[in-house]
Amino acid sequence: MSDFEPKIMTFLCNWCSYAGADLAGVSRIQYPPNTRVIRVPCSGRVDPLFILKCLQDGYDGVLVSGCHPGDCHYISGNYVARRKFAVLKKALEFMGMEPDRVQFSWVSAGEGEKFSQVISKVTETVKALGPAKKLVKRIGR
Amino acid sequence: MKKTKSVVVVGSGIAGIQASLDLAEIGAEVHLVEKTPSIGGRMAQLDKTFPTNDCSLCILSPKMSECARHPGITLHMNSELLSIDGESGDFSVKIKENATYIDADKCVNCGLCEEKCPTKVTDEFDAELRERKAIYRYFLQSVPANYVIDPKYCLKITKGVCGLCEKTCPAEAIDFDDTDKEIAIDCGAVILATGIDAFDPLVYGQYGYKKFPNVVTSLEFERMLCASGPLMGHVVCPGNDKEPKNIAFIQCVGSRDRENAKNYCSSVCCMYAIKEAIIAREHIKGLDATIFFMDVRAYGKDFDRYYERAEKQFGVEFIRSRVAKITELPGGDLRVHYANPDGSKDTRDFSLVVLSVGIQPRKDIQQLAENTGIKLDEFGFCRTGEFNPLDTTRPGVFVCGAIGGPKDIPESVMAASGAVSRAAKLLELKRQEKVSKKEFPPEKDVFGDRPRIGAFICHCGINIGGIVDVPSVVEYARSLPNVEHAEEVLYACSADCLETIKQAIVEKNLNRVLVAACTPRTHEPLFRETLREAGLNQYLFEMANIRDQCSWAHMNEPEMATIKAKELVEMGIAKARRLTPLQKLPVEIDPKALVIGGGLAGITAALELADAGFRVFLVEKEPQLGGNFARVKFAFNGGDPQAFLAEKIREISDNELVTVYTGAGIKGIDGYIGNFKTTVALPDGKSIELEHGVVIVATGAREYETEEYQYRKSKRVVTQLEFEKLLAEGYLTGKPIQNIVMINCVGSREEGRQYCSRLCCAQSIRNALKVKELRPATDVYVLYRDIRTYGTKEKYFGEAREKGVIFSRYDLETKPTVEPINPENPRSKLRVTSFDPILGRKFAIDADLVVLAVSIDAPAENEELAKMLKVPLNADRFFLEAHVKLRPVDFATDGVFVCGLAHCPKNSAESITQATAAAARAMTVLNKMVIEAEGSICEVNPELCAGCGLCVEVCPYAAAQMDEEKGVAVINEALCKGCGACAASCRSGAIDLRGFTNQQIYLAIDSLETVEIEG
Amino acid sequence: MSELTEKIKKIFTDEKLDILIGYEKGSLPLRGTPCFIESAEDADKLIFDSTCHNNLAKYLTDQKKTEVDARKIGIVVKGCDARAVVQLVVEKQFERENIVIIGVPCKGVIDPSKLRAKLRDKEISDFRFDGNKIIVSGENFQETFDKNELLSDGCLSCKYPNAPQYDYFIGDPAEPIASKDEYADIDEFEKKPPDERWEYFEKEYGKCIRCYACRNACPMCYCEQCFVDCSMPQWIGKGGNLSDKMIFHIVRAMHLAGRCVDCGACAAACPLNIDVRLLGKRIEREVAERFDFTAGMDFETPPALATFREDDKQEFIM
């Protein structure tokens, strides 16, 4: 499984985590190239359906990252999101989905280093899990 | 005399930025003069901000880029003010722009020059904790983003050798022929916001700063904590590179120190030390943090709760003691020598000591005062008046931020907006008819047209092209459906390339554009404008970030980076196919203001707005104007508050633009920014309806009705305000009043009112001094918990002690008691008993009068008003602003502002500042005929809406509301900010966010789908 | 005339009800059926016992949906029906003042699917309760069951047998059955290795024929358009793909998070006896333990996922 390169979808809020990702780049901090990015205005924009859709489409991992509590550009979007994500994560874990496939983080605009660490960690853990099987849509089944 | 709409703002810290943005929004032409290569000031150096632990740069960055992009603001970087000639309304300001040897328009901040530069110097932005090059970017997120050359160190400039940067620069941005330039600017007003210096603790030899490497200043520690600082947030002791086990914070270094001519409190150090202690504990597990302090001055809104959390939740230890000296132990640890409350001496060992250095006037303040012709106060801050805290001694020159005395961030922001209101009336400002100053060709109708996408893949010199195989990305883009045109460009953002994009749009009849380059956070506005210039709706644009989030982050994996770039482009194209033109809804503005509350704040706000030419309705529930301020009899500087108030009330009644409704109540408020309708109940039982564009909430607060300390039971117990009345009526004249006991914090800072009422310490001391002035023989005792005479009020604390006012501290557990000496006699003197921790025993005073500093209470009626306005209250029922740091007078709901005691306890100068600020913030709305709502906002499909109201609940802006008649949700387009929380919460998909629709995101996800066929 | 009918007659008149939703004896034994009463006299046919398993709140939404009206509706409610009514009021599905909530004590209701499973193909013609026993009989057979064997799973651990909010309450409040720990099944299930758990859900949800009976029976499923029917975007495929079925059930459970009153209507409705309750119960537990929230207890608290506390737990955040 060592040559397995996971494909990971990330949803980054425009004001903090996307900016943190930019800062990682500006600081030339290196991290694994396995993530793809969807920029959203706020982590509160992320409907659990987006995450499930990613899993169905065969992404090996999904990360949603927003502003730290209290930093939300839209005052409280991340707080509402936090509740939704807590429930979704627990539900998937309960069903037997590998908990590390769906991750959430807070990364601020100043945390380029943290962003790279988060991405590295998600990539490593997903790599260790191997290719996603659960929930992946297969034609003919 | 109003001649010009130009204004000069000097200094671009948070105060200068806020002032510039507000001025530009009001329609002024702003010249922002900044000494360093970046705007942002002191706040950009901070890691977090108290009391919310907000990331400083996260909240500042959007303001910085807004400031740099605003068409009404011209930045003069690396510049200083030389002189101000002329007079108020008609100044000529000379500035000097220092040479940077780099053409900022050409620099693409790729950083290649920095790599090549051989000269290393210490980095002042990072508190000299790391090195930078002679050619450098001021800090990673600097705005403007370009590099500059430091001529003091550049070898080419100093010695005529090297020039490596010039040879390396792919953009040919380096220009060694650059020279300093002098510029003259005609303007109507000048706002000074040059900020402060941190105190240099070298004079405190006993603390060993610079001698012991593990003694650092709080500013250095701030950089050490910061994730983008020199240590990347991994705190280690500078002396031995070890993670600290425990940290001591020494307070009042350079504050409250008469010997070193710092007889003022720096106002911010208690809170930042608490913050740094909390954050440090978050960084290092098991770290112990101890704060050595004299008084904990947690006087601001929600500060005391933060203080309490630090102690109880985070286990920060607080020791009330002034530290005598620090010695170094072998291995680099430090020994702190201090005295216990009982006078005994003690020591403690720490791995790291942080000196909480105070605020001091900038070193060059004298020069600035000379250049600008303003006077300074005894401490070297700009001299201002108690009732005109934003005006300098020179008419037309205003101050904001800490240049006028120690201030934290929200106070600086308030002062900045306040200074704008003061300056605005000197400028020739017409109501702005159009939102944009630029003319664009009419937009092409693309409705129903098949997507024809143009993809432009940027090399960014070698920033992208050196890693990512750009030609193959272009090839890949070209292969995707609906891509009509794909090409590679060297610098997508360069003027010639923007022209290329425009031509391609026209020639190839493109109706969607994707640029794969750097980050949309900085460059999307530029490309959107290009689309508009080419006659396309600006929302038909999408960006793929293949530099900051691809080539720069995967420099060693070019193949993987290329695959990622291709896929990011593919996702962008997938979304682009579904982009639709969006319009920013124009909202017309009714240029009238409603001010609720006719106390000091309401009167100030109303007058500021009327002076700027706006109609104002001032509604006061009492029969007369004045509020609590009508009861204030004395001022610190000997001024007469009632004469001041009378003058203001006269100005109000003389001003035709202000209509006052006294004895009136608010019955209902409907509408939204620009278009409010308010029903006011008049004293005669009738009601009227007012139409207005903004609301300013200035409803004030009231004295707490305590049941403690015999209040209302004995005539000898009064509140401080009642005491002022007694004094003014001659209470002390000719009477042998022996003892007056003042008790502070009555109701405040305890269960039920976990906040500091902020103004009472200074008020008690002011009234104590008044007693000493009127009858020196009377003994005055002040029983307090902490003396919180923050800022320059500290000197009165010293003065009071000098004049013999006796201060004794008590703890919440050992509150003083007040009992009549003779319970039978209702006029009996009172015996006050208290425990003094320094004496270590109880003492009793027979008081002629007991004066209570009762807490300031938010009235219960706030709840009703908050509901009508759809704005929130905090736990103490004070109105809760949109953001405690950067939007201290705004509500999240547009067009509604707050000032005065309604916001939180504050003194009269602070109320005046905030009210003036509220007026300026209101002007940013009122001085426009029309404003634009966001384009990327939510919409409801009423067919699908079941009316469950979830969206109403999650919307922080009150933009989602129920149409009660139809039973479905509606979005008020004027209020929606486009966060999409409602869309993500809507189960039936009835709400969607334009520009980030479910369908667009779905397709972006789906574009990379890898379906497996099961065999 | 029973206490129930007598009191309801009075309520009907006093409150000037236009209509009352309650239960009557069904045409099949052991199946109490919802009925609509339009005059006080009709109340005579009302019953309430363990055969009344339907959640009447569902009929309330249907009533209120078909006509935009201000009719005053009375509703006879068990604990779970009442919570659904409360939650629906919170979700603005009807005006509180137009609803008269009449609580009745619930001693648990019989799950028709359990009965089906017990009887196989035998048809019962009569039944009677005898303490905790149910004796059913039909052609050539008579069987005695422990009542708990037939009760809905939710009833066995139900904490709210009585309406937490009501205008009238008829009878003495019932004690919870509490024959079983509320989360015992969940605890048991969570002990299994993840792959086994996943297999279980694949097996259960794999049976789904996408008939949406669960959704249609649910009092909280009142969306104008269910996400499964959305075409822009088409979140999940229309056919019988396993992944699509799984997503349907996960999202349905997510959409009920903080709203589900655990009435068991979905499970009772499923023709394939799919275990639709397990995941919902786990989510309900999460909501209760994490956010200290139980759906349908009062009219003021907003739905758990529409609100937040700044200090909500966030141990799951990286």
Side-chain angles (χ1 to χ4, degrees):
Chain A
M1 235 6 121
S2 60
D3 57 349
F4 163 59
E5 286 298 343
K7 197 167 267 189
I8 296 159
M9 182 60 90
T10 62
F11 295 89
L12 308 181
C13 85
N14 184 52
W15 303 94
C16 289
S17 293
Y18 196 92
D22 282 346
L23 178 61
V26 173
S27 321
R28 310 296 197 277
I29 302 169
Q30 304 296 295
Y31 56 83
N34 301 63
T35 50
R36 304 296 175 256
V37 183
I38 291 183
R39 183 169 68 118
V40 285
C42 176
S43 52
R45 171 67 187 101
V46 178
D47 190 320
L49 270 165
F50 298 172
I51 297 164
L52 295 168
K53 174 68 193 165
C54 291
L55 295 172
Q56 189 174 38
D57 270 0
Y59 286 89
D60 302 295
V62 185
L63 169 74
V64 181
S65 190
C67 305
H68 285 273
D71 289 1
C72 181
H73 184 78
Y74 302 102
I75 303 168
S76 56
N78 55 352
Y79 284 126
V80 177
R82 182 169 65 183
R83 285 205 157 188
K84 243 181 277 184
F85 299 157
V87 173
L88 178 69
K89 194 163 164 66
K90 269 283 159 350
L92 289 175
E93 197 177 329
F94 177 69
M95 291 177 70
M97 168 77 74
E98 303 90 334
D100 288 340
R101 292 228 190 260
V102 179
Q103 294 280 24
F104 304 94
S105 66
W106 305 139
V107 174
S108 79
E111 293 177 326
E113 175 77 24
K114 181 174 177 192
F115 181 81
S116 80
Q117 286 165 0
V118 166
I119 297 298
S120 303
K121 192 158 172 231
V122 171
T123 310
E124 270 165 40
T125 47
V126 170
K127 209 172 209 173
L129 290 172
K133 294 246 176 338
K134 291 164 184 169
L135 220 54
V136 180
K137 191 165 183 174
R138 295 179 181 81
I139 305 295
R141 231 188 119 184
Chain B
M1 180 173 52
K2 295 182 185 180
K3 289 185 117 177
T4 168
K5 58 176 175 176
S6 286
V7 58
V8 169
V9 178
V10 188
S12 70
I14 183 57
I17 289 176
Q18 182 66 39
S20 301
L21 283 171
D22 283 345
L23 281 163
E25 284 297 307
I26 293 174
E29 270 174 15
V30 185
H31 293 271
L32 178 55
V33 179
E34 168 57 42
K35 212 165 70 173
T36 72
S38 174
I39 60 173
R42 196 62 73 185
M43 190 177 167
Q45 285 180 291
L46 305 181
D47 176 38
K48 299 274 162 46
T49 59
F50 59 81
T52 48
N53 292 354
D54 269 354
C55 155
S56 188
L57 206 62
C58 297
I59 55 179
L60 178 62
S61 283
K63 288 233 176 196
M64 287 165 66
S65 20
E66 199 186 337
C67 191
R69 263 208 330 268
H70 204 295
I73 301 174
T74 309
L75 298 182
H76 300 274
M77 304 309 299
N78 311 289
S79 304
E80 4 187 348
L81 182 138
L82 297 177
S83 64
I84 306 177
D85 292 321
E87 56 192 276
S88 177
D90 188 16
F91 287 127
S92 174
V93 170
K94 271 208 192 66
I95 63 168
K96 187 176 103 187
E97 284 189 348
N98 293 313
T100 60
Y101 307 96
I102 288 184
D103 184 338
D105 293 334
K106 284 188 188 159
C107 174
V108 292
N109 56 75
C110 62
L112 292 174
C113 53
E114 188 182 15
E115 275 172 38
K116 286 282 170 350
C117 177
T119 311
K120 285 184 179 173
V121 292
T122 53
D123 186 340
E124 58 269 46
F125 181 84
D126 260 326
E128 303 187 351
L129 292 169
R130 74 171 146 197
E131 291 187 320
R132 61 164 168 86
K133 297 291 184 67
I135 187 164
Y136 69 115
R137 195 171 163 181
Y138 192 54
F139 57 99
L140 278 173
Q141 303 87 350
S142 70
V143 173
N146 59 279
Y147 279 71
V148 292
I149 290 177
D150 189 337
K152 286 202 296 291
Y153 302 103
C154 172
L155 291 174
K156 177 83 178 175
I157 293 165
T158 53
K159 300 208 174 81
V161 294
C162 186
L164 279 174
C165 51
E166 193 176 13
K167 290 177 202 121
T168 314
C169 179
E172 295 178 356
I174 291 170
D175 171 19
F176 281 112
D177 297 330
D178 197 8
T179 51
D180 298 352
K181 295 174 204 66
E182 265 190 38
I183 300 175
I185 302 165
D186 292 333
C187 63
V190 176
I191 294 178
L192 302 177
T194 51
I196 39 92
D197 277 341
F199 177 78
D200 183 349
L202 270 179
V203 299
Y204 284 63
Q206 69 273 31
Y207 290 166
Y209 178 63
K210 291 280 186 204
K211 199 159 78 194
F212 311 141
N214 291 341
V215 176
V216 299
T217 69
S218 45
L219 195 61
E220 287 163 2
F221 193 58
E222 195 81 34
R223 294 309 298 158
M224 289 163 73
L225 287 170
C226 183
S228 51
L231 303 179
M232 297 285 190
H234 307 300
V235 177
V236 289
C237 300
N240 48 20
D241 283 342
K242 278 194 226 153
E243 209 172 68
K245 284 197 196 63
N246 57 358
I247 300 185
F249 291 83
I250 316 288
Q251 296 307 103
C252 295
V253 178
S255 306
R256 304 181 66 184
D257 178 2
R258 304 172 97 179
E259 284 167 30
N260 287 300
K262 297 281 177 268
N263 188 19
Y264 57 85
C265 162
S266 291
S267 298
V268 295
C269 326
C270 283
M271 291 307 291
Y272 77 57
I274 294 174
K275 171 197 75 183
E276 288 184 356
I278 291 177
I279 303 294
R281 284 182 54 94
E282 280 179 2
H283 280 244
I284 303 165
K285 280 214 176 78
L287 178 85
D288 288 324
T290 304
I291 298 180
F292 291 90
F293 71 101
M294 298 206 288
D295 295 284
V296 173
R297 296 195 162 167
Y299 57 86
K301 193 174 187 179
D302 281 331
F303 287 7
D304 252 323
R305 283 207 170 81
Y306 192 66
Y307 169 29
E308 190 184 89
R309 273 216 319 275
E311 199 167 14
K312 298 203 172 132
Q313 187 181 334
F314 293 97
V316 176
E317 183 189 17
F318 288 81
I319 297 181
R320 194 182 290 267
S321 173
R322 187 139 203 170
V323 169
K325 65 174 176 183
I326 294 166
T327 51
E328 194 180 45
L329 303 170
D333 281 4
L334 301 157
R335 178 158 293 166
V336 172
H337 303 256
Y338 66 100
N340 287 316
D342 62 6
S344 64
K345 293 196 167 119
D346 221 335
T347 64
R348 276 272 206 107
D349 296 347
F350 293 93
S351 329
L352 189 68
V353 169
V354 178
L355 303 179
S356 293
V357 291
I359 279 172
Q360 65 178 16
R362 291 192 79 106
K363 287 185 189 71
D364 55 4
I365 188 81
Q366 283 295 348
Q367 186 63 48
L368 183 81
E370 272 169 42
N371 292 353
T372 53
I374 58 159
K375 293 204 170 66
L376 304 178
D377 68 12
E378 59 190 289
F379 308 107
F381 297 111
C382 276
R383 188 189 293 176
T384 57
E386 190 167 353
F387 300 130
N388 42 6
L390 304 162
D391 299 11
T392 66
T393 50
R394 181 170 183 184
V397 180
F398 307 97
V399 289
C400 60
I403 182 176
K407 277 186 187 56
D408 65 6
I409 292 167
E411 287 176 340
S412 295
V413 171
M414 283 186 231
S417 293
V420 167
S421 178
R422 304 296 298 156
K425 60 190 71 162
L426 300 173
L427 307 175
E428 193 199 16
L429 301 172
K430 290 203 191 76
R431 284 191 80 207
Q432 304 158 80
E433 286 176 40
K434 284 198 191 131
V435 180
S436 171
K437 299 194 168 168
K438 212 168 148 181
E439 291 288 334
F440 294 101
E443 273 176 20
K444 200 165 73 176
D445 182 11
V446 301
F447 181 78
D449 291 354
R450 184 176 60 85
R452 297 172 58 85
I453 304 171
F456 299 87
I457 320 295
C458 182
H459 279 268
C460 195
I462 59 165
N463 282 298
I464 296 170
I467 316 281
V468 169
D469 180 358
V470 171
S472 82
V473 178
V474 173
E475 212 43 57
Y476 187 71
R478 196 172 283 141
S479 74
L480 298 170
N482 302 106
V483 174
E484 291 298 321
H485 176 81
E487 73 173 291
E488 57 194 275
V489 286
L490 189 57
Y491 288 109
C493 57
S494 64
D496 59 322
C497 187
L498 296 175
E499 202 50 47
T500 311
I501 295 175
K502 261 189 273 181
Q503 271 175 21
I505 292 172
V506 176
E507 283 166 16
K508 309 258 167 136
N509 193 23
L510 303 176
N511 56 21
R512 309 281 190 284
V513 174
L514 172 114
V515 172
C518 50
T519 172
R521 287 177 52 255
T522 54
H523 280 64
E524 193 176 61
L526 181 71
F527 293 118
R528 282 188 167 169
E529 196 169 303
T530 305
L531 261 69
R532 293 180 80 182
E533 287 166 3
L536 270 187
N537 181 282
Q538 58 174 323
Y539 288 94
L540 297 170
F541 175 76
E542 182 63 20
M543 255 185 114
N545 185 339
I546 60 169
R547 186 185 77 175
D548 304 42
Q549 297 183 9
C550 187
S551 66
W552 276 353
H554 317 305
M555 299 176 86
N556 307 320
E557 297 163 280
E559 280 170 29
M560 290 295 276
T562 302
I563 295 174
K564 179 169 174 180
K566 284 179 182 171
E567 297 198 355
L568 290 174
V569 166
E570 184 164 6
M571 287 164 67
I573 299 276
K575 184 179 173 190
R577 282 189 200 105
R578 290 287 171 168
L579 292 173
T580 53
L582 302 180
Q583 301 304 335
K584 294 187 169 186
L585 181 83
V587 181
E588 282 186 28
I589 302 296
D590 182 354
K592 301 197 281 291
L594 168 71
V595 178
I596 308 175
L600 179 61
I603 289 173
T604 306
L607 271 178
E608 286 290 321
L609 282 168
D611 285 351
F614 296 103
R615 275 287 274 128
V616 183
F617 306 112
L618 178 58
V619 178
E620 166 59 44
K621 68 175 190 305
E622 299 295 331
Q624 68 287 322
L625 296 178
N628 289 308
F629 192 66
R631 301 168 66 196
V632 178
K633 305 293 180 195
F634 311 112
F636 279 101
N637 52 9
D640 180 352
Q642 291 315 306
F644 170 78
L645 180 64
E647 169 65 17
K648 289 284 148 186
I649 292 175
R650 193 186 56 72
E651 280 178 36
I652 291 253
S653 58
D654 286 354
N655 198 317
E656 289 175 353
L657 291 172
V658 186
T659 311
V660 180
Y661 300 95
T662 45
I666 304 290
K667 283 291 140 221
I669 302 173
D670 273 331
Y672 52 90
I673 182 168
N675 305 273
F676 288 102
K677 273 197 184 71
T678 297
T679 315
V680 177
L682 300 174
D684 60 5
K686 290 186 191 135
S687 65
I688 49 160
E689 194 167 85
L690 303 173
E691 292 187 0
H692 49 100
V694 297
V695 183
I696 293 179
V697 177
T699 48
R702 60 175 63 129
E703 283 190 309
Y704 166 52
E705 271 287 322
T706 183
E707 290 177 3
E708 284 182 288
Y709 305 122
Q710 308 289 331
Y711 185 64
R712 293 273 189 248
K713 289 188 198 96
S714 164
K715 287 236 186 291
R716 289 182 184 270
V717 183
V718 294
T719 67
Q720 286 287 359
L721 277 180
E722 288 163 352
F723 182 49
E724 288 185 24
K725 186 158 180 274
L726 286 181
L727 284 178
E729 288 168 355
Y731 171 72
L732 287 174
T733 325
K735 287 189 208 103
I737 304 293
Q738 195 52 51
N739 290 324
I740 295 176
V741 179
M742 297 184 172
I743 303 176
N744 284 6
C745 288
V746 178
S748 304
R749 301 181 60 197
E750 56 179 302
E751 192 70 27
R753 279 178 196 74
Q754 197 47 259
Y755 59 89
C756 167
S757 292
R758 184 164 171 145
L759 55 81
C760 355
C761 281
Q763 187 186 27
S764 302
I765 286 171
R766 189 189 64 203
N767 291 347
L769 282 168
K770 197 77 198 170
V771 173
K772 285 291 178 190
E773 176 194 319
L774 294 170
R775 194 174 183 282
T778 301
D779 283 332
V780 185
Y781 298 82
V782 179
L783 309 183
Y784 70 96
R785 287 176 58 196
D786 288 282
I787 288 291
R788 293 182 166 177
T789 43
Y790 56 93
T792 51
K793 297 278 192 295
E794 174 69 12
K795 79 165 180 182
Y796 298 105
F797 180 28
E799 201 180 311
R801 279 177 298 177
E802 256 167 31
K803 298 232 164 101
V805 176
I806 298 147
F807 290 86
S808 169
R809 199 170 62 75
Y810 72 90
D811 283 319
L812 199 50
E813 298 74 36
T814 54
K815 275 190 183 178
T817 55
V818 178
E819 296 300 335
I821 295 170
N822 177 4
E824 307 298 316
N825 177 2
R827 305 184 61 84
S828 162
K829 284 193 184 184
L830 300 165
R831 176 154 300 158
V832 181
T833 315
S834 187
F835 177 85
D836 187 283
I838 294 176
L839 300 174
R841 62 171 173 80
K842 277 192 176 178
F843 66 98
I845 311 152
D846 291 346
D848 296 275
L849 193 70
V850 173
V851 186
L852 306 180
V854 292
S855 78
I856 294 174
D857 265 23
E861 302 93 89
N862 280 2
E863 282 177 15
E864 203 184 332
L865 186 60
K867 258 188 207 136
M868 281 191 242
L869 285 164
K870 303 186 186 79
V871 298
L873 301 176
N874 76 359
D876 304 314
R877 246 183 2 226
F878 289 101
F879 283 92
L880 183 59
E881 61 274 34
H883 190 276
V884 295
K885 280 287 157 188
L886 295 189
R887 298 183 65 192
V889 292
D890 301 5
F891 283 110
T893 308
D894 283 342
V896 190
F897 308 93
V898 65
C899 58
L901 295 179
H903 166 254
C904 72
K906 53 176 67 73
N907 65 34
S908 44
E910 289 160 349
S911 274
I912 291 171
T913 299
Q914 197 181 17
T916 315
R921 297 292 300 148
M923 284 179 215
T924 64
V925 178
L926 298 176
N927 213 36
K928 295 180 183 123
M929 294 195 180
V930 61
I931 58 164
E932 266 182 353
E934 303 280 334
S936 173
I937 55 171
C938 292
E939 61 183 325
V940 179
N941 179 346
E943 302 280 304
L944 299 183
C945 177
C948 73
L950 211 64
C951 49
V952 179
E953 205 67 55
V954 298
C955 179
Y957 303 103
Q961 289 158 16
M962 288 303 289
D963 178 335
E964 299 292 347
E965 223 162 87
K966 299 196 180 106
V968 295
V970 284
I971 302 288
N972 184 329
E973 299 195 0
L975 295 181
C976 178
K977 297 273 177 287
C979 71
C982 56
S985 296
C986 182
R987 298 182 293 273
S988 61
I991 305 192
D992 215 340
L993 172 58
R994 295 174 190 156
F996 295 91
T997 64
N998 287 333
Q999 177 79 342
Q1000 286 163 355
I1001 292 172
Y1002 174 94
L1003 290 173
I1005 298 170
D1006 216 31
S1007 62
L1008 308 181
E1009 187 200 6
T1010 46
V1011 174
E1012 282 181 37
I1013 311 268
E1014 195 123 303
Chain C
M1 206 159 52
S2 69
E3 184 193 3
L4 180 78
T5 54
E6 190 179 335
K7 288 209 167 144
I8 284 183
K9 274 183 184 172
K10 183 163 164 27
I11 294 168
F12 202 103
T13 318
D14 290 353
E15 292 279 356
K16 300 195 178 70
L17 295 182
D18 294 298
I19 192 166
L20 179 128
I21 310 173
Y23 301 95
E24 65 183 336
K25 201 163 177 294
S27 46
L28 294 172
L30 276 174
R31 298 287 290 264
T33 309
C35 72
F36 299 82
I37 303 285
E38 292 187 25
S39 70
E41 298 81 68
D42 276 359
D44 284 332
K45 65 178 173 186
L46 290 173
I47 61 158
F48 180 75
D49 56 29
S50 289
T51 69
C52 302
H53 76 90
N54 298 70
N55 188 326
L56 294 185
K58 179 76 194 169
Y59 299 89
L60 200 52
T61 18
D62 286 352
Q63 279 295 316
K64 282 289 171 190
K65 236 180 198 176
T66 47
E67 295 161 58
V68 182
D69 65 352
R71 282 184 304 168
K72 204 160 189 187
I73 304 186
I75 181 164
V76 175
V77 290
K78 309 185 284 286
C80 50
D81 311 46
R83 287 172 56 210
V85 172
V86 171
Q87 190 62 29
L88 287 165
V89 170
V90 171
E91 296 181 13
K92 301 181 171 46
Q93 294 308 295
F94 29 79
E95 299 288 334
R96 170 72 183 92
E97 56 267 26
N98 291 340
I99 309 294
V100 175
I101 302 172
I102 304 162
V104 288
C106 174
K107 301 194 168 75
V109 294
I110 291 165
D111 181 346
S113 63
K114 285 196 183 176
L115 193 63
R116 271 201 301 275
K118 291 266 182 211
L119 293 174
R120 306 276 163 188
D121 292 329
K122 288 181 276 195
E123 272 199 27
I124 52 171
S125 56
D126 200 9
F127 71 94
R128 66 190 158 86
F129 290 102
D130 182 7
N132 269 335
K133 303 269 184 246
I134 302 177
I135 300 141
V136 298
S137 53
E139 220 170 304
N140 307 325
F141 80 95
Q142 174 168 345
E143 277 191 63
T144 304
F145 299 114
D146 213 13
K147 192 168 147 195
N148 283 1
E149 286 175 64
L150 292 179
L151 291 187
S152 274
D153 282 338
C155 299
L156 298 175
S157 56
C158 173
K159 285 192 289 198
Y160 308 103
N162 310 301
Q165 304 283 339
Y166 53 81
D167 299 299
Y168 299 93
F169 197 89
I170 301 176
D172 299 324
E175 287 298 315
I177 296 172
S179 73
K180 184 168 153 184
D181 176 67
E182 192 179 5
Y183 300 128
D185 292 346
I186 290 171
D187 288 336
E188 203 52 42
F189 186 76
E190 276 180 338
K191 283 183 199 146
K192 294 181 188 172
D195 285 344
E196 210 174 295
R197 300 204 297 269
W198 189 261
E199 267 170 41
Y200 177 78
F201 278 105
E202 280 199 335
K203 176 178 76 67
E204 284 298 309
Y205 295 159
K207 292 190 281 191
C208 178
I209 52 171
R210 306 272 295 265
C211 71
Y212 304 135
C214 49
R215 179 186 83 188
N216 298 342
C218 176
M220 304 314 296
C221 278
Y222 55 78
C223 280
E224 299 287 340
Q225 175 190 274
C226 181
F227 75 98
V228 294
D229 300 321
C230 181
S231 58
M232 284 280 273
Q234 189 182 337
W235 289 113
I236 59 173
K238 297 281 183 206
N241 182 285
L242 177 64
S243 170
D244 287 335
K245 292 180 192 175
M246 300 285 284
I247 298 229
F248 164 65
H249 285 280
I250 297 169
V251 175
R252 203 185 88 77
M254 281 298 295
H255 281 180
L256 284 162
R259 305 170 62 240
C260 175
V261 295
D262 198 17
C263 65
C266 49
C270 180
L272 290 131
N273 293 339
I274 295 171
D275 184 356
V276 286
R277 191 171 160 262
L278 185 63
L279 181 60
K281 191 71 190 166
R282 179 64 187 86
I283 288 177
E284 184 204 312
R285 177 186 199 169
E286 194 62 29
V287 169
E289 291 176 352
R290 186 176 279 275
F291 311 133
D292 190 24
F293 180 84
T294 305
M297 298 304 287
D298 64 66
F299 294 103
E300 289 80 37
T301 316
L305 293 197
T307 184
F308 63 88
R309 282 173 49 120
E310 284 177 16
D311 58 354
D312 278 335
K313 272 200 296 179
Q314 55 168 18
E315 82 298 337
F316 67 96
I317 306 265
M318 289 180 74

